[in-house]
């Protein structure tokens, strides 16, 4: 008899609704839901009474690993240590598939080519050797990073990337369209002075003037040929969306205003918004309020952006605002899995899919993960709610 695990008495969140029942896992696969499709037999039990049973969260965009490695400017910690401790946090947050967002270009946080390359190779090695959760790589390519093409091409050709997005963080562009916004961010984030940031701005603007857009199209074409989805970043106009579509982007991350979000959605793009924006009630930069895009029906993907703990919390925030729970859950599970082309195996509680499952209770109204299961194996469990 294979390995079995039964989750009893919880509110099971399926793609189309929520119902109380049992879920049975066999050999890493969902074998039965509420008795349909099989029998629990001599399964070990997890008591989920009073809790919700959700698919494991799928996070397309989170750059928090960079801060784990470099929590302060020029203060690096061993990558292995940072990775191993960080994945334990992720399991505790209910994230069972994490695409670590590593930025290639722009001197903000962990951005050196050698560090990015080393981190990506470490992630690849760790997921082969052992891992608590599913790890992948989202390469965020800065369009003005002129020296990064060969590294990006190599990473693609070696199968080390799972997702590719194009960014333009130059002053006056995207999220830094307001005068002085870029300078203020760099000075705060990197601890540099006025003269230093002026030199950074001058160099960045000079490099941006030499961007070879045909090379970028070749890069995104290579990704798409390998079955890797391409995303845009911080689209702020319909013209920016059209440019992103020209690169083959199928997801628009963090559009800056509702009109742009509507336009991107109308073009058939998935629309990704940040969970911290939902939890905090708005953008820290005064841009699009994510919950407004959800209410408008144009946002369909949630990511944790820079704060993994926000992803689960955002789901229940949306429910409190009138969004059906299964719809909010799909935004952080099934829809991002579909954006990656993995919806056949991940992202929802359906018979035959991989058993990535989380059991969620609440403490003082705050959702907290009681148990995280990946491929049918319990990787995180806490009894502080019993």
């Amino acid at each position: 008899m294979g390995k079995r695990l039964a989750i009893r008495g919880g509110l099971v969140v399926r793609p189309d609704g929520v119902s109380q029942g049992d879920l049975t896992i066999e050999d890493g696969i969902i074998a039965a839901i509420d008795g349909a499709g099989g029998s629990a037999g001599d399964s070990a039990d997890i008591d989920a009474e009073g809790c919700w049973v959700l698919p494991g969260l799928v996070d397309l965009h989170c750059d928090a690993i960079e801060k784990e490695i470099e929590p302060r400017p020029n203060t690096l910690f061993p990558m292995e240590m940072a990775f191993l401790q960080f994945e334990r946090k992720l399991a505790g947050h209910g994230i069972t598939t994490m695409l670590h967002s590593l930025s290639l270009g722009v001197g903000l946080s962990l951005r050196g080519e050698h560090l990015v390359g080393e981190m990506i190779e470490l992630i690849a090695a760790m997921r082969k050797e052992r891992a608590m959760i599913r790890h992948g790589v989202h390469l965020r390519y800065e369009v003005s990073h002129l020296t990064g093409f060969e590294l990006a091409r190599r990473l693609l050709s070696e199968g080390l990337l799972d997702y590719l997005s194009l960014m333009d963080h130059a002053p006056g562009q995207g999220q830094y369209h307001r005068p002085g916004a870029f300078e203020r961010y760099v000075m705060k984030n990197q601890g540099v002075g006025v003269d230093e940031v002026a030199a950074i701005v001058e160099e960045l603007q000079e490099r941006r003037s030499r961007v070879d857009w045909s090379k970028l199209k070749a890069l995104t074409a290579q990704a798409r040929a390998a079955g890797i989805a391409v995303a845009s970043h911080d689209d702020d106009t319909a013209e920016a969306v059209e440019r992103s579509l020209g690169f083959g982007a199928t997801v628009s991350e963090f559009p800056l205003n509702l009109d742009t979000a509507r336009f991107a959605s109308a073009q058939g793009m998935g629309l990704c918004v940040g969970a911290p924006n939902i939890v905090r009630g708005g953008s820290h930069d005064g841009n699009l309020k994510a919950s407004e895009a959800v209410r408008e029906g144009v946002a369909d993907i949630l990511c944790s952006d820079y704060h993994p703990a926000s992803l689960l919390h955002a789901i229940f925030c949306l429910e409190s605002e009138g969004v059906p729970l299964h719809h909010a859950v799909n935004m952080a599970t099934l829809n991002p899995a579909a954006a990656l082309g993995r919806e056949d195996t991940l992202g929802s509680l359906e018979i035959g899919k991989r058993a990535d499952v989380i059991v969620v209770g609440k403490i003082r109204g705050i959702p907290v993960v009681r148990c995280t299961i990946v491929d049918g194996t319990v990787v995180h469990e806490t009894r502080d709610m019993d």
Side-chain angles (χ1 to χ4, degrees):
M1 180 180 292
K3 179 181 176 183
R4 287 185 175 182
L5 182 66
I7 303 171
R8 303 289 193 186
L11 291 167
V12 180
V13 183
R14 305 191 201 189
D16 58 355
V18 183
S19 60
Q20 188 162 10
D22 304 333
L23 184 146
T24 304
I25 297 165
E26 185 170 351
D27 293 333
I29 301 294
I30 297 172
I33 301 176
D34 202 21
S39 172
D42 295 325
S43 304
D45 285 347
I46 293 174
D47 181 6
E49 186 174 352
C51 296
W52 292 264
V53 181
L54 276 60
L57 307 183
V58 179
D59 200 348
L60 289 184
H61 182 127
C62 180
D63 57 19
I65 187 67
E66 295 181 334
K67 287 297 184 183
E68 291 288 325
I69 298 168
E70 190 178 8
R72 293 184 179 180
N74 303 313
T75 306
L76 293 171
F77 281 78
M79 286 187 180
E80 290 86 353
M81 168 191 160
F83 178 88
L84 290 169
Q85 297 304 324
F86 186 49
E87 74 169 352
R88 280 155 175 74
K89 295 181 185 179
L90 297 176
H93 295 317
I95 297 171
T96 57
T97 298
M98 169 58 83
L99 266 59
H100 300 281
S101 302
L102 295 161
S103 300
L104 195 55
V106 180
L108 310 174
S109 192
L110 186 72
R111 302 298 200 253
E113 283 185 24
H114 67 292
L115 292 177
V116 172
E118 286 177 20
M119 189 69 237
I120 290 173
E121 289 172 1
L122 175 63
I123 291 170
M126 285 292 195
R127 65 183 176 187
K128 287 180 181 178
E129 293 172 12
R130 40 73 51 222
M132 291 179 70
I133 68 169
R134 303 179 194 277
H135 296 278
V137 174
H138 168 185
L139 184 68
R140 306 172 63 203
Y141 191 92
E142 187 68 35
V143 299
S144 60
H145 189 58
L146 306 178
T147 63
F149 285 106
E150 291 309 314
L151 175 58
R153 286 172 178 162
R154 178 179 68 80
L155 294 170
L156 282 168
S157 65
E158 293 179 2
L160 298 179
L161 304 184
D162 300 271
Y163 193 52
L164 174 69
S165 63
L166 298 183
M167 308 182 298
D168 190 353
H169 284 129
Q173 305 296 319
Q175 71 183 86
Y176 299 121
H177 66 282
R178 298 184 185 88
F182 178 87
E183 290 85 346
R184 287 191 294 272
Y185 179 81
V186 175
M187 290 172 70
K188 178 182 178 181
N189 192 61
Q190 293 296 98
V192 300
V194 174
D195 292 342
E196 292 169 294
V197 79
I200 292 172
V201 168
E202 182 179 0
E203 179 191 6
L204 182 54
Q205 289 177 330
E206 191 279 329
R207 282 195 281 112
R208 192 176 184 280
S209 70
R210 294 188 288 116
V211 170
D212 187 334
W213 299 99
S214 64
K215 277 190 172 182
L216 288 172
K217 284 194 174 182
L219 186 68
T220 57
Q222 182 183 351
R224 288 183 286 113
I228 295 170
V230 175
S232 63
H233 186 77
D234 291 348
D235 291 328
D236 56 353
T237 62
E239 291 75 20
V241 172
E242 293 282 9
R243 183 170 61 248
S244 300
L245 290 168
F247 286 104
T250 54
V251 176
S252 176
E253 294 185 339
F254 317 123
L256 298 190
N257 54 70
L258 190 56
D259 285 342
T260 301
R262 289 185 182 121
F263 184 79
S265 179
Q267 308 314 303
M269 299 182 80
L271 204 80
C272 181
V273 295
N277 187 312
I278 300 284
V279 172
R280 298 180 65 254
S283 164
H284 70 282
D285 279 334
N287 296 318
L288 174 65
K289 187 175 180 178
S291 59
E292 186 177 1
V294 176
R295 286 195 300 271
E296 285 272 331
V298 295
D300 53 5
I301 297 172
L302 276 175
C303 71
S304 72
D305 193 2
Y306 58 90
H307 191 249
S310 289
L311 191 53
L312 178 64
H313 195 79
I315 290 170
F316 287 88
C317 284
L318 289 174
E319 186 201 24
S320 72
E321 295 177 12
V323 177
L325 181 59
H326 70 277
H327 179 79
V329 168
N330 288 344
M331 291 184 66
T333 58
L334 184 58
N335 297 350
L340 296 173
R342 301 179 189 176
E343 70 275 23
D344 289 344
T345 57
L346 299 176
S348 59
L349 301 182
E350 298 179 78
I351 294 171
K353 284 196 171 185
R354 304 304 307 181
D356 292 1
V357 184
I358 59 175
V359 178
V360 178
K362 286 188 176 181
I363 299 176
R364 303 188 72 172
I366 304 298
V368 178
V369 175
R370 290 189 57 179
C371 181
T372 300
I373 299 164
V374 178
D375 254 345
T377 297
V378 175
V379 298
H380 164 82
E381 190 170 20
T382 178
R383 301 191 181 278
D384 65 345
M385 301 169 68
D386 292 341

